[in-house]
Each structure stands twice: as C-alpha cells, then as structure tokens.
C-alpha cells in the first residue's frame, strides 16, 4: 500500500466532526500553551477615530437574553463572546471602546467598510423619502440598480430578480433552471455550501449543515480541491466525474450545475485550474444550465476579477449574489438572460421585500464606492501582499498546511501532520481566541473546522495585513 493511499485511508477514518466543536464555534480546552511568545506583541495600526462612550446593556446581559429568547441554534465565536457596538471602515469596537481589526467582514459581507458614509447616506436619504412600497408600483431605485448591475456582468446576463439573501437567491436560481430545462436533477460539488433552505440544503454538501429532511434530485460530484483532492490541481480530471455522474446517475439530462468558484464555508477552496470549462462542457451537452454562486466571491473580493467565475474564463447562465452586494444591508440577486428569465412568468412569483427602494439604493451606492475608491485594485494589491506574508508563515510553522485563495478571500488551513493533512481542530480554536485577545477577528470554516477564513472589508491596508500576520505569528510562536 502506498504512502498516499495510507494517508487517504487514515484521513477517511477520522471521526466525524462534533457539532459542538465545529458548528457552534466555541473554543475548547486544549493542552497547556506556552504563555511567553518570542515574537514581539503586535500593535494595531493607528486610526483617527474614538467611539463615544457606550451606555447600553453589557455582554453578559445580552448573552442572558439570547439564551432565554433566541433559538438555541444561534451560536457565537470565542470562549468570551464579543459585544460589538460600533464599526468604522475595517475596524469594530466593543462595549469598552476597544478596537479590533475585522478580518472576517461579517462573513465576507462588509465590502466597502463598516458604515461607509456614502452607503449610509444613500440608505438614509432613501428611507426619508420612501422606505418601502412594492414592486407593483414604479420606483427608480430598483431600475437604476438593475441597470448598473447588468453593466458589471458579461454576455447577455442582464435581467435581475432581487431577494433578501444568498439562500433565497440560490433557491430561485435552482427553481428557474428546473423550469427552463424541464429537468429536475442538479449537479453540485462536494464540500459546497449554497444555503440552508429546502432546495439549497440539498445542493449543500457538508453533513454538518444538512438536516435529515427530504432533499431530492441533487448529485454531488468530486470536489476539485487542489490541496485535499486526489488529482491535485488537474481540473480536467476532476471534471470527468461530472460527465460520469450525468451518464450513470441521471436520465442523461440535467437542470443545472451549481458551484462556488471559491468555496467559502467549505474553507476557501479555489477550484482546480481548468475545471469549470470542462465541467461546463459536460453540463451543456446534457441540456443543463450553469449557475455561478458568487455570494462570497463576487463584487471585486478576489481582486483579480470582479466575479470569481471570471478567473476560469467561463460565462454562466445564471449568477447569484448577496453579502457584499449590500455592504451589510439585506440584499441578494439572481441575474440571468432574458430568455431564461421568462421561465418565471409561467406562474406568479413574488418577493415582498426583494428589491425594495432602500436595499437597492444601498446596492447602487456599493457599486459606486467600489469604482470610486478602486477597491478591486486594492483587494488585489493588499490581498496578494497578505497572501505572500501568510505563505512566509507557512514556511516558518509546520502547523500551517496550506495558504490559498485570491484577493480578500483567503484561507489558512492548520494541520497537525502535513503528510497526512490531519486537521488541527483544537489548535485552530486556540489561535482564533488568542488573536482576538490581540485585537484581530478572523473566521473559520472547512468541514473539519480547521481553516481560517480571512475575508476583510476591501479597504484593508498593508498595515492591517502586517498586523494580522504579526498577531498570528505571535500566537503560533507561543504554542
């Protein structure tokens, strides 16, 4: 038996992740960590803003109310949860006025920066005039935003339907694909996350996010993961499983292939080069549509491109988006061609809040800020610099198994054994908690809960990048 096969089998025998450890995101006791770090304790970059004194309820009071009045499924990060009371650009402030570098961006949602004045002004001005009407009446806000959004997309992708979230957007995209093609089967990738409603839970392919309810018509193909995948970075070899699944697992015709160009919840996994063109080819031959889930990778976050799918030179039939589209305001969208869009006219489909004047005014303001402040360029320059510095840490610490992603969508995977790629579960939680104490907030993801998700606001600076890496260095040096 080869070393590679042994490693694969050992990894597959690993016990499934516990719900407490990975889903709830609360730090667990680990082995005794050294208290003194050899690296100097990093200092936050200077920032010319001091928040007013906070006079609201304490973190303990809020936590007590959450436990009594909110659903117990709602979880929090950190052993001592953070009470965030204010945000400004790439920083957050707690109840005591302490400043934190936000390298998670509300889960890749804060695009322009917290409380960006242009976005806030657009929301306030529209709210003063008309907070809500309905799409049954005319209002220029939704039409102006749809036009601006269409200008950012290739080909004939120009017709939008607005929603309130990424889950809603993906649900609608799947429905439209099934209506347009007359087929039911959907192809999705293992390790993917597309939402937690009825249809999107089916396309999501991680057991920790799936309940035991009926999820029909979805086939999960081999994930083209350059780090953990069996074919390394050979995208075309992974794509053969798409063709095989269509030939042997369906009637030969499918409704759609849905994917994230960079898997977010799955641990910032960038699909192997060459994968999408080959997968598209098989799906198109089977009469299916290609749905690009750009909820996390879209809106200039990758830096190299405005949309994640553009990195592989493909043009999808449907694009779904949310998160960064509203800079924190609830907003999502499904954009497709006029021909495919007509499928939704066969019956009545309606969304009360989707595309309301305030949300679309916010979305238009976000697009204008991205252009005005050259945030895509900044995401590329600072993101590349940050990735370079993180790779230097990988050379320094065996605990870091992989650094990946693009722009401001980066992942750092921790492993206890580089050859076996054994997930460093407890270590990840410990480093997260210690970095928070130093003033850095990052996320985590991946099926094993061992990947740092670095998705900051696109106004992140090189000084911020240095502080983040120095904080990680300081923490790792003490372990």
């Amino acid at each position: 038996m080869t070393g590679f096969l042994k490693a694969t089998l050992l990894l597959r025998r690993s016990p499934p992740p516990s719900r407490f450890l990975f889903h709830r995101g609360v730090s667990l006791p680990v082995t005794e960590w050294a208290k003194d770090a050899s690296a100097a304790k990093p200092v936050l970059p200077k920032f010319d803003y001091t928040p007013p004194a906070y006079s609201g309820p304490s973190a303990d009071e809020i936590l007590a109310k959450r436990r009594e009045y909110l659903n117990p499924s709602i979880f929090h990060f950190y052993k001592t949860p953070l009470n965030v009371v204010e945000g400004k650009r790439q920083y957050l402030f707690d109840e005591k006025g302490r400043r934190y570098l936000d390298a998670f961006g509300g889960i890749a949602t804060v695009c322009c920066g917290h409380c960006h004045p242009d976005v806030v002004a657009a929301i306030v001005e529209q709210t003063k005039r008309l907070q809500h009407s309905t799409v049954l009446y005319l209002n220029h806000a939704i039409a102006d935003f749809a036009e601006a959004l269409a200008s950012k997309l290739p080909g004939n992708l120009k017709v939008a339907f607005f929603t309130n979230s990424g889950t809603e957007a993906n649900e609608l995209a799947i429905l439209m694909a099934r209506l347009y093609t007359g087929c039911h089967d959907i192809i999705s990738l293992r390790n993917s996350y597309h939402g937690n409603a009825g249809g999107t839970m089916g396309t999501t392919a991680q057991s920790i996010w799936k309940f035991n309810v009926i999820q029909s018509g979805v086939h999960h193909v081999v994930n083209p993961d350059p780090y953990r995948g069996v074919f390394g970075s050979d995208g075309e070899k992974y794509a053969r499983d798409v063709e095989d699944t269509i030939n042997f697992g369906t009637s030969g015709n499918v409704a759609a292939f849905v994917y994230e160009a960079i898997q977010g919840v799955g641990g910032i996994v960038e699909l192997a080069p060459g994968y999408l063109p080959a997968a598209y080819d098989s799906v198109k031959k089977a009469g299916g549509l290609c749905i690009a889930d750009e909820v996390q990778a879209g809106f200039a976050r990758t830096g190299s491109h405005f949309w994640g799918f553009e990195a592989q030179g493909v043009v999808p039939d449907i694009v779904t988006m949310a998160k960064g589209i509203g800079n924190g305001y609830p907003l999502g969208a499904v954009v497709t061609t006029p021909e495919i869009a007509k499928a939704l006219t066969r019956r009545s489909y309606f969304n009360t809040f989707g595309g309301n004047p305030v949300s679309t005014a916010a979305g238009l303001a976000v697009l204008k800020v991205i252009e005005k402040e050259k945030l895509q360029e900044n995401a590329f320059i600072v993101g590349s610099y940050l990735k370079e510095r993180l790779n230097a840490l990988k050379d320094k610490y065996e605990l870091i198994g992989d650094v990946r992603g693009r722009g401001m969508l980066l992942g750092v995977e921790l492993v206890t054994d580089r050859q076996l790629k054994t997930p460093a579960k407890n270590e990840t939680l410990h480093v997260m908690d210690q970095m928070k104490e130093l003033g850095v907030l990052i996320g985590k993801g991946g099926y094993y809960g061992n990947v740092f998700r670095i998705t900051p606001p696109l106004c992140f600076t090189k000084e911020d990048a240095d502080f983040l890496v120095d904080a990680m260095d300081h923490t790792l040096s003490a372990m």
Side-chain angles (χ1 to χ4, degrees), residues 303-318:
S304 59
H305 301 83
F306 200 83
W307 307 104
F309 64 80
E310 292 179 300
Q312 294 213 12
V314 294
V315 177
D317 300 293
I318 302 176

Side-chain angles (χ1 to χ4, degrees), residues 421-467:
K421 301 177 182 177
T422 310
K425 309 168 186 178
N426 291 351
E427 292 83 350
T428 301
L429 291 167
H430 172 77
V431 173
M432 273 188 69
D433 224 67
Q434 293 303 302
M435 288 184 68
K436 174 242 189 180
E437 294 304 313
L438 291 171
V440 180
L441 306 177
I442 55 177
K444 72 177 180 71
Y447 179 76
Y448 302 103
N450 67 317
V451 182
F452 293 129
R453 295 166 65 189
I454 301 173
T455 57
L458 306 190
C459 55
F460 220 59
T461 68
K462 284 188 175 181
E463 290 75 22
D464 297 323
D466 284 333
F467 178 66

Side-chain angles (χ1 to χ4, degrees), residues 277-346:
Y280 269 43
D281 185 57
S282 295
V283 173
K284 295 290 187 181
K285 287 177 180 177
L289 302 181
C290 296
I291 303 173
D293 179 341
E294 292 287 323
V295 171
Q296 294 195 37
F299 292 91
R301 180 161 291 280
T302 64
S304 59
H305 301 83
F306 200 83
W307 307 104
F309 64 80
E310 292 179 300
Q312 294 213 12
V314 294
V315 177
D317 300 293
I318 302 176
V319 181
T320 62
M321 55 196 77
K323 292 190 181 291
I325 189 176
N327 201 51
Y329 207 87
L331 179 61
V334 179
V335 182
T336 187
T337 66
E339 182 184 6
I340 295 171
K342 286 180 182 177
L344 209 57
T345 65
R346 298 174 189 173

Side-chain angles (χ1 to χ4, degrees), residues 31-98:
T31 55
E32 291 296 322
W33 308 105
K35 293 183 179 180
D36 297 322
S38 58
K41 187 175 180 179
V43 178
L44 267 168
K46 292 181 179 180
F47 189 62
D48 189 22
Y49 178 76
T50 302
Y54 173 72
S55 57
S58 67
D60 290 339
E61 291 171 322
I62 296 170
L63 189 58
K65 284 187 178 182
R66 278 175 58 132
R67 287 171 175 165
E68 185 172 359
Y69 298 111
L70 292 179
N71 191 289
S73 66
I74 299 174
F75 55 93
H76 59 75
F77 275 168
Y78 307 119
K79 288 184 291 187
T80 304
L82 185 65
N83 181 18
V84 176
V85 301
E86 191 168 345
K88 186 72 69 173
R89 293 190 66 78
Q90 67 269 44
Y91 296 105
L92 291 171
F93 299 85
D94 68 10
E95 59 186 10
K96 297 179 181 177
R98 182 180 178 186

